[in-house]
Amino acid sequence: MPMSDTVEMLQAILGAIDEGIHVVDANGMTIFYNHVIAKLDGLTPEEVLGKPLLHVFPSLDKDTSTLLQVIEKGHPIYNKRQTYKNLRGVRVETINTTLPVQVGEKLVGAIEIAKDIGKLRELSERLIELQAQIGKSKRVKQAPSDRLFFQFDDILTESASMHVLKTRAKRAARTSSPILIYGETGTGKELLVQSIHQASERSDRPFIAQNCAALPASLLESILFGTTKGSFTGADDRAGLFELANGGTLFLDEINSMPLDLQAKLLRVLEDGQIRRIGSSQSVQVDVRVIAATNEEPQKVVKAGNLRADLYYRINVVSFELPPLRERKEDITLLVSHFISKFNRKFSMQVNGAAPDVQRLFHVYEWPGNVRELEHVIEAAMNMVEGDTLQLEHLPAHMMSRVELAEVYTAAGITTADGWAAVEQRHTAASTLPLTIRPLREAIRETEEALINLALEQTNGNILQAAKLLVIPRQTLQYKLSQQERTEPN
């Protein structure tokens, strides 16, 4: 491909990316400027291309321009907030990731990927205001059906370990000590946090939740601590989440995603209860119970350097570990019934329950997404069901690729209680044999042969019906049978 075609293709690719992209050469002259960044800056490409950067953006200099800093030092800059004015005097605020461009050992320029922080800030601030309004409305007594937040009665369980956890959490609700919760994604961390808040003396005060991984670091700081007018271009006097949650509870999810320098500021708030808005010299006293959560083991997060050890020891005054659903399978039947009832109400349906083979599948499935995944599986099945019972064919296809013993059952298409009993009996008999490590391919082949033989037994040798039970094409079954014949010993 000619060099000119390669350059045109590269420009077309960069132009199609839905991010602002600005490229300058080693002298600070713009050599690429896509339509997204042009829209963010309020300029046209013709006004920027081939011109010195500081001529187009006169409010910047070599010390404040991220592009020029990268050209000078050769080091990348990640997620840096930048506020500047274009040649018309219009203020622009972005979050930039800026990278050096090298050809061999020579630095030939820099590329910047920019996001519009103004819109992101506006959305975040609207969310804060909405949370504050919700916190105020909570102080009005509401009927159970109108509740905005979960309570301990909403944690449905028959698990002994979960009952112990609920008892401990109710005790912790009596105090205002910091809490650290560990649980895999989908185990119900926020449900537990809201229940603690609702059972505490702070229940008539605000409850505010913030996922620390959902915002850029520079924006997260202003959201948490607030801003002072003039602290940066366009900044207003605005309270942060700590002030809005005063008297109540602030839930910080995925705290290990919070930058380490911001973790240090959080530690100071936990120590003395004082916050300082960005740009202010005045401290404000707040009374906020902080509950943090992580979906990774806290000790591993600390060891990996993603959570400060001093913050961990300060916030881990009370700790809870939510067990994954695969370790509390006694809750599955209860949760299935609950979610079916929930979606019956939501969809105006009258599904009575799940078929026995579906329940058995649920009990051997590993549930990597935990309770949240179970809820979504039930919702998906409720969209497919036509009768009053959830069947295997109503379940999402992805489940079949993640089952262990269930894969053996469902691959055979066995849907009757007798059929399940037959397979379970065979499995139980096999499980009594001495366990030895064998080649995986060999074990899979033997399992497949056993399933095919079982399907043929149930259909009296009818290949078409057996193929339907196995949910595979007839030709595929015939091919597998021919392969079995070839491998049989003479």
Side-chain angles (χ1 to χ4, degrees):
M1 180 182 292
M3 180 61 68
S4 60
D5 291 344
T6 302
V7 172
E8 287 182 7
M9 180 178 289
L10 179 59
Q11 290 179 335
I13 292 172
L14 292 175
I17 295 175
D18 191 24
E19 298 281 2
I21 297 187
H22 191 169
V23 184
V24 298
D25 63 17
N27 297 316
M29 301 284 286
T30 297
I31 58 175
F32 183 83
Y33 191 76
N34 76 348
H35 69 284
V36 179
I37 190 66
K39 185 176 180 181
L40 288 179
D41 289 340
L43 300 172
T44 64
E46 293 73 21
E47 292 175 303
V48 183
L49 286 168
K51 296 182 173 62
L53 184 73
L54 298 185
H55 173 75
V56 181
F57 304 102
S59 66
L60 294 174
D61 56 39
K62 63 182 182 64
D63 296 321
T64 57
S65 166
T66 45
L67 280 165
L68 296 183
Q69 288 178 38
V70 168
I71 289 174
E72 180 182 356
K73 299 178 181 178
H75 301 303
I77 298 174
Y78 297 101
N79 295 320
K80 175 89 177 277
R81 178 198 292 163
Q82 188 169 46
T83 302
Y84 52 92
K85 292 182 179 180
N86 64 20
L87 55 82
R88 297 190 183 94
V90 177
R91 185 184 66 86
V92 183
E93 189 174 7
T94 58
I95 285 283
N96 301 336
T97 290
T98 315
L99 308 171
V101 178
Q102 290 183 297
V103 175
E105 298 295 324
K106 184 178 180 181
L107 190 146
V108 297
I111 180 172
E112 186 159 85
I113 301 95
K115 296 181 180 180
D116 185 358
I117 193 177
K119 291 183 179 178
L120 185 58
R121 178 188 302 282
E122 181 182 357
L123 180 61
S124 300
E125 290 174 348
R126 287 181 181 177
L127 178 59
I128 292 174
E129 292 170 355
L130 179 60
Q131 287 180 312
Q133 292 171 9
I134 290 174
K136 293 177 181 177
S137 66
K138 269 185 79 266
R139 299 169 198 173
V140 180
K141 296 297 181 182
Q142 296 169 315
S145 60
D146 296 328
R147 287 205 315 263
L148 294 172
F149 298 104
F150 292 109
Q151 298 180 356
F152 280 113
D153 289 343
D154 297 310
I155 302 178
L156 305 178
T157 185
E158 293 179 352
S159 163
S161 63
M162 284 295 293
H163 280 297
V164 171
L165 186 146
K166 285 176 66 174
T167 299
R168 292 182 60 239
K170 289 176 181 177
R171 292 172 183 165
R174 300 174 301 185
T175 73
S176 58
S177 298
I179 295 176
L180 180 61
I181 297 174
Y182 159 60
E184 295 178 8
T185 298
T187 49
K189 295 186 288 293
E190 185 160 351
L191 190 156
L192 178 63
V193 173
Q194 290 185 12
S195 299
I196 292 171
H197 173 77
Q198 289 292 89
S200 73
E201 294 182 351
R202 299 171 179 265
S203 61
D204 62 342
R205 304 298 297 173
F207 172 88
I208 295 180
Q210 175 62 53
N211 188 308
C212 298
L215 295 173
S218 56
L219 182 55
L220 179 61
E221 181 178 2
S222 63
I223 293 297
L224 288 175
F225 298 107
T227 57
T228 302
K229 188 173 183 178
S231 55
F232 53 85
T233 306
D236 295 319
D237 287 320
R238 184 176 293 275
L241 295 185
F242 272 100
E243 289 182 72
L244 292 174
N246 192 28
T249 303
L250 177 59
F251 173 43
L252 300 176
D253 198 7
E254 296 193 59
I255 192 172
N256 50 299
S257 297
M258 181 182 290
L260 295 179
D261 58 340
L262 195 51
Q263 290 184 26
K265 295 183 179 181
L266 174 60
L267 176 61
R268 288 198 295 271
V269 177
L270 292 171
E271 292 288 356
D272 58 24
Q274 293 186 342
I275 62 101
R276 185 178 297 175
R277 293 185 184 183
I278 295 176
S280 174
S281 60
Q282 302 295 319
S283 295
V284 178
Q285 190 74 32
V286 292
D287 172 23
V288 177
R289 182 178 206 173
V290 175
I291 303 181
T294 173
N295 54 17
E296 301 179 58
E297 292 184 25
Q299 294 85 353
K300 290 184 178 180
V301 174
V302 172
K303 188 174 182 180
N306 295 323
L307 181 64
R308 292 175 58 111
D310 49 5
L311 177 60
Y312 166 68
Y313 292 123
R314 182 65 186 88
I315 208 166
N316 194 41
V317 176
V318 181
S319 62
F320 297 101
E321 181 176 341
L322 280 166
L325 186 56
R326 62 181 174 273
E327 294 179 7
R328 43 180 287 214
K329 290 192 174 181
E330 61 269 42
D331 287 341
I332 289 178
T333 300
L334 178 64
L335 291 169
V336 168
S337 177
H338 168 72
F339 290 134
I340 289 176
S341 297
K342 172 182 176 178
F343 292 113
N344 271 337
R345 293 191 300 271
K346 186 174 182 179
F347 301 150
S348 299
M349 299 174 69
Q350 293 182 336
V351 174
N352 294 330
D357 51 346
V358 173
Q359 290 283 8
R360 289 183 175 90
L361 170 58
F362 284 170
H363 279 78
V364 293
Y365 184 64
E366 286 298 289
W367 297 111
N370 295 293
V371 179
R372 182 183 294 124
E373 183 185 8
L374 174 59
E375 179 178 5
H376 292 168
V377 165
I378 297 297
E379 181 178 6
M382 295 284 281
N383 276 272
M384 295 293 106
V385 67
E386 293 182 354
D388 60 0
T389 305
L390 301 184
Q391 305 287 352
L392 283 176
E393 60 264 28
H394 303 141
L395 302 181
H398 78 270
M399 289 194 67
M400 303 308 172
S401 64
R402 297 293 296 270
V403 295
E404 295 183 351
L405 177 59
E407 185 175 334
V408 177
Y409 295 165
T410 55
I414 300 171
T415 58
T416 66
D418 291 342
W420 277 99
V423 177
E424 286 171 343
Q425 185 177 6
R426 292 182 181 213
H427 175 70
T428 301
S431 66
T432 61
L433 298 175
L435 183 63
T436 57
I437 299 297
R438 295 186 298 149
L440 182 60
R441 190 183 300 276
E442 176 185 321
I444 292 173
R445 188 190 72 248
E446 291 181 3
T447 301
E448 182 179 275
E449 290 177 358
L451 288 170
I452 290 174
N453 292 335
L454 177 61
L456 289 170
E457 286 177 19
Q458 291 200 348
T459 60
N460 296 319
N462 187 311
I463 293 180
L464 178 60
Q465 294 301 318
K468 289 182 178 179
L469 278 179
L470 293 167
V471 199
I472 59 175
R474 175 178 54 80
Q475 296 88 339
T476 300
L477 177 56
Q478 287 177 322
Y479 171 77
K480 290 182 178 295
L481 287 170
S482 66
Q483 292 296 106
Q484 285 187 20
E485 292 174 357
R486 292 180 183 178
T487 57
E488 287 179 357
N490 295 326

